[in-house]
Amino acid sequence: MDYSGGLLGRAGGETLPIREDGQDSGMRSVQDLEAVINEGIRVALMEESSDQSLEVLLEHLGKALKGDRIYIFERNGDGCDDNTYEWVADGVEPEKDNLQNVPPEVCASWYRDFSVGGHIVIGSLEEIRESEPLQYENLKRQGIYSLVVVPLYDGKEVIGFYGVDNPPVKSLEYASNMLQTAAYFIVSSLKRRNLVRELQKRSYNVLHALSVDYLGIYQVNFDTGECETYRHSERMGMDWASRFGDGYQAAMEWYISRYVVPRDQDRLLAVTKRDYVLAQLRTKKKFSVRYQVKDSPSRLKHLEIHFSATEKTEEKHCAIMAQRDVNAVVEQEEKYKLEARQSLEDILEGARTGIWTIELEEGCQPRMYADRTMRILLGVPDEIGPEECDTIVIAGMGGETIAAILEAAPWTRQDKLLLLQPMTGAPRLRQWLQTHGYVVEKETLAREGNKLYSVWTVRGGNMPPLSPAELWAGVDGGDPLRPAYLSSLLEKAEKALRGHLTAQKPDQAVITYLEAVLSGLRKMREEWKPNDHSG
């Protein structure tokens, strides 16, 4: 199955919810769909493990689709289905523990559809009462009245499925498109998780502790500083046993300051302190921390330090400490990330959609660069960089996202013309521009149907302070569409104020701010005179 849709560049900090005003009647713009998925994947990729990434993505999708529950099922070795991941909305009972080793006959009809590239959409549970009585009873017990389920493929093999329970019926098609588009990332994360789990099984097995990737294995007494060496490699560049003459903590601090890269030093110091290690071993029995070392002749780069409890840990504060070379593991993880990105670029190239990537690396200036599709669309050679552009357009994104892009590209303040078009969060963006060395020279309004859009002409410079109402509406530039724009902003501000006034715990500071916004917007509308703005 071809997971189409793809990802845009970072498309907004806020979740784009399902609208309930009926205006789109189940139709959803491609931009909104891709923005929701892109934001979910962005936050998921910030997590340290695949398990955490999947949990974060499910929560994001579940809230965006307004479902009661969103979940992943995986086929186990016995041919049954296990519910391996789950997110539930507030007030909804989890079902994950009750849905382990589900017999294959329960979802047999689903897998038949999956085998020919289909997916499952149930608008009303009663639709399957007669045709699928076993599945009907299973879903009814869980309080499910509608759902969307899509298959998960590894190549041509169906390895499971994931879906959402009880999304709004009018949004079933939108939910189906979103789940199918995000399925590639789900599968990629599951494969990466399986690889890491397999490596962890070996790394935590005592028999494998003597394998070549363990550079040193020691039994340490945290109280006396005694260190018994079981295995030591010259590639380490130091002799732990000799350093422990001054005590465990002193030896660890010396090692970290001498060999560990600066960005990992504070974190490693915190998790290797005597009391922290002993507390962890009382509950977990073993744990590990990954870090990076400075350049050295031994070509070591990524290491893990492991602590494991022994029968002497509780009584004599002893533990096994080991250091492992994990360069191969990290390289494999990076390979998976690269493969996922290349696959997404292939999808996006077919859809004529390009990506601007913001690269943030500690100690280096942030930089943006374009993928191959974006360069084709722009008609620019491969060697050109964004800093060489005279005019930069950032449109169709939330205000917070636009601010984040500009913050990562401070060179945009230097003799560049910016055309910004925030879809949401305009007040926050105006405030950010005002405090970060940008000035809005002009705001132009455009109408498409009943929707008004504001396009800003921005350059580097100093912008005078703006009132609360000006943060919402900008400064009057004589645009003939401004009265309608002010009216729409008044409606939004009034709705926001009503919501805060009726809240269980009203925030007086927010109420005062919104009242000032309303007062200023009303004054702007009253003072606007068509004859004075004929030019």
Side-chain angles (χ1 to χ4, degrees):
M1 182 175 183
D2 180 17
Y3 294 121
S4 60
L7 307 178
L8 294 172
R10 182 180 171 190
E14 57 271 2
T15 298
L16 299 175
I18 301 296
R19 289 178 55 184
E20 297 184 350
D21 56 9
Q23 291 182 10
D24 51 3
S25 301
M27 298 180 64
R28 188 65 48 180
S29 71
V30 175
Q31 290 87 349
D32 282 6
L33 176 69
E34 292 179 330
V36 172
I37 296 170
N38 181 58
E39 180 61 12
I41 292 179
R42 183 187 68 80
V43 296
L45 288 173
M46 295 173 66
E47 300 299 322
E48 292 186 359
S49 70
S50 295
D51 287 326
Q52 293 170 322
S53 291
L54 288 166
E55 290 166 358
V56 167
L57 181 60
L58 289 186
E59 179 181 0
H60 183 87
L61 295 177
K63 290 180 177 179
L65 294 173
K66 293 198 171 181
D68 286 350
R69 180 170 173 265
I70 188 165
Y71 44 83
I72 297 175
F73 279 78
E74 297 178 69
R75 258 298 162 84
N76 62 31
D78 297 324
C80 299
D81 293 301
D82 293 333
N83 185 180
T84 51
Y85 298 90
E86 175 188 64
W87 171 86
V88 296
D90 292 340
V92 177
E93 287 293 326
E95 289 287 346
K96 178 181 171 184
D97 292 341
N98 303 324
L99 296 170
Q100 301 301 311
N101 218 35
V102 178
E105 57 266 28
V106 174
C107 298
S109 65
W110 289 9
Y111 276 93
R112 284 194 293 273
D113 286 341
F114 297 160
S115 67
V116 294
H119 60 279
I120 308 301
V121 178
I122 299 177
S124 171
L125 184 60
E126 295 303 313
E127 296 172 1
I128 66 168
R129 183 170 188 168
E130 300 296 334
S131 60
E132 298 181 52
L134 196 61
Q135 187 67 280
Y136 174 86
E137 292 299 329
N138 176 47
L139 299 178
K140 183 177 180 181
R141 178 189 62 78
Q142 300 174 55
I144 298 171
Y145 51 83
S146 67
L147 60 75
V148 176
V149 174
V150 303
L152 296 172
Y153 293 94
D154 183 6
K156 295 183 178 181
E157 179 187 2
V158 181
I159 61 173
F161 57 87
Y162 85 119
V164 59
D165 291 341
N166 301 334
V169 175
K170 64 185 178 182
S171 302
L172 293 177
E173 182 180 356
Y174 178 64
S176 173
N177 291 336
M178 180 176 294
L179 294 181
Q180 290 183 78
T181 305
Y184 183 91
F185 181 83
I186 298 282
V187 172
S188 177
S189 297
L190 292 174
K191 291 168 67 176
R192 180 166 156 266
R193 177 210 62 188
N194 292 341
L195 172 67
V196 173
R197 285 182 178 178
E198 183 62 28
L199 292 171
Q200 286 176 336
K201 286 180 184 178
R202 288 181 291 167
S203 67
Y204 289 135
N205 190 313
V206 175
L207 294 176
H208 288 280
L210 299 178
S211 64
V212 67
D213 56 353
Y214 276 84
L215 303 171
I217 304 173
Y218 315 91
Q219 179 169 283
V220 177
N221 185 308
F222 292 100
D223 293 337
T224 65
E226 295 178 15
C227 178
E228 183 178 355
T229 302
Y230 296 146
R231 178 183 178 85
H232 177 73
S233 170
E234 295 298 329
R235 295 177 66 200
M236 285 296 302
M238 65 168 289
D239 182 358
W240 276 107
S242 62
R243 299 302 312 183
F244 271 92
D246 296 327
Y248 162 79
Q249 204 62 58
M252 186 60 68
E253 290 174 0
W254 180 86
Y255 167 75
I256 291 173
S257 65
R258 184 179 179 87
Y259 291 101
V260 178
V261 297
R263 68 168 177 270
D264 288 344
Q265 288 183 2
D266 290 343
R267 178 172 60 88
L268 197 58
L269 278 171
V271 300
T272 55
K273 288 188 179 297
R274 169 190 180 278
D275 292 342
Y276 181 88
V277 172
L278 292 174
Q280 292 294 307
L281 295 182
R282 279 193 289 270
T283 57
K284 296 183 178 180
K285 302 304 179 183
K286 53 191 174 184
F287 75 97
S288 63
V289 182
R290 187 177 295 182
Y291 61 96
Q292 188 172 333
V293 294
K294 299 174 183 177
D295 292 338
S296 67
S298 61
R299 296 184 179 179
L300 293 174
K301 187 175 183 181
H302 299 282
L303 296 181
E304 276 181 352
I305 187 165
H306 290 241
F307 292 95
S308 300
T310 71
E311 68 278 3
K312 300 179 182 179
T313 297
E314 197 65 37
E315 179 183 354
K316 297 185 178 181
H317 293 169
C318 292
I320 298 295
M321 182 184 81
Q323 287 176 291
R324 180 181 175 222
D325 178 2
V326 292
N327 276 341
V329 177
V330 174
E331 287 174 2
Q332 187 65 51
E333 291 175 351
E334 292 300 320
K335 179 183 176 183
Y336 273 127
K337 290 180 183 178
L338 179 60
E339 289 175 351
R341 179 176 178 84
Q342 289 174 340
S343 297
L344 290 173
E345 285 191 354
D346 291 340
I347 293 170
L348 293 173
E349 184 172 2
R352 302 286 291 172
T353 303
I355 299 175
W356 276 111
T357 299
I358 304 174
E359 188 176 77
L360 301 174
E361 184 176 354
E362 189 162 344
C364 302
Q365 284 291 324
R367 186 177 183 278
M368 291 198 301
Y369 58 91
D371 72 343
R372 64 173 186 260
T373 307
M374 181 63 81
R375 295 186 186 278
I376 292 171
L377 294 174
L378 294 176
V380 297
D382 289 346
E383 63 272 12
I384 193 171
E387 297 91 342
E388 300 174 68
C389 299
D390 297 320
T391 303
I392 300 165
V393 180
I394 309 177
M397 301 180 183
E400 291 183 354
T401 302
I402 294 175
I405 291 173
L406 294 177
E407 189 165 19
W411 47 267
T412 55
R413 288 193 291 266
Q414 302 168 1
D415 298 324
K416 306 294 182 185
L417 172 62
L418 308 179
L419 298 178
L420 310 182
Q421 190 271 303
M423 297 294 288
T424 59
R428 290 189 293 272
L429 179 57
R430 285 192 185 91
Q431 190 168 43
W432 187 92
L433 293 171
Q434 178 181 280
T435 57
H436 286 77
Y438 295 89
V439 58
V440 179
E441 295 183 340
K442 182 181 179 181
E443 297 193 22
T444 304
L445 295 170
R447 185 194 297 274
E448 182 180 6
N450 295 325
K451 182 73 174 178
L452 286 171
Y453 299 93
S454 180
V455 182
W456 307 353
T457 301
V458 178
R459 294 184 185 274
N462 296 318
M463 184 158 52
L466 300 176
S467 68
E470 288 172 335
L471 289 174
W472 276 57
V475 178
D476 186 3
D479 196 295
L481 293 175
R482 187 168 176 80
Y485 185 56
L486 292 173
S487 296
S488 68
L489 293 177
L490 276 166
E491 184 178 344
K492 291 180 182 178
E494 288 168 351
K495 183 178 180 180
L497 180 58
R498 285 196 301 271
H500 283 280
L501 289 173
T502 57
Q504 291 184 347
K505 295 181 179 180
D507 188 328
Q508 191 55 49
V510 175
I511 291 172
T512 301
Y513 167 75
L514 289 173
E515 287 175 341
V517 170
L518 279 169
S519 175
L521 291 176
R522 291 185 182 119
K523 185 177 180 181
M524 288 178 180
R525 190 172 63 176
E526 291 169 0
E527 294 179 349
W528 196 91
K529 296 179 180 180
N531 292 338
D532 294 341
H533 300 270
S534 57

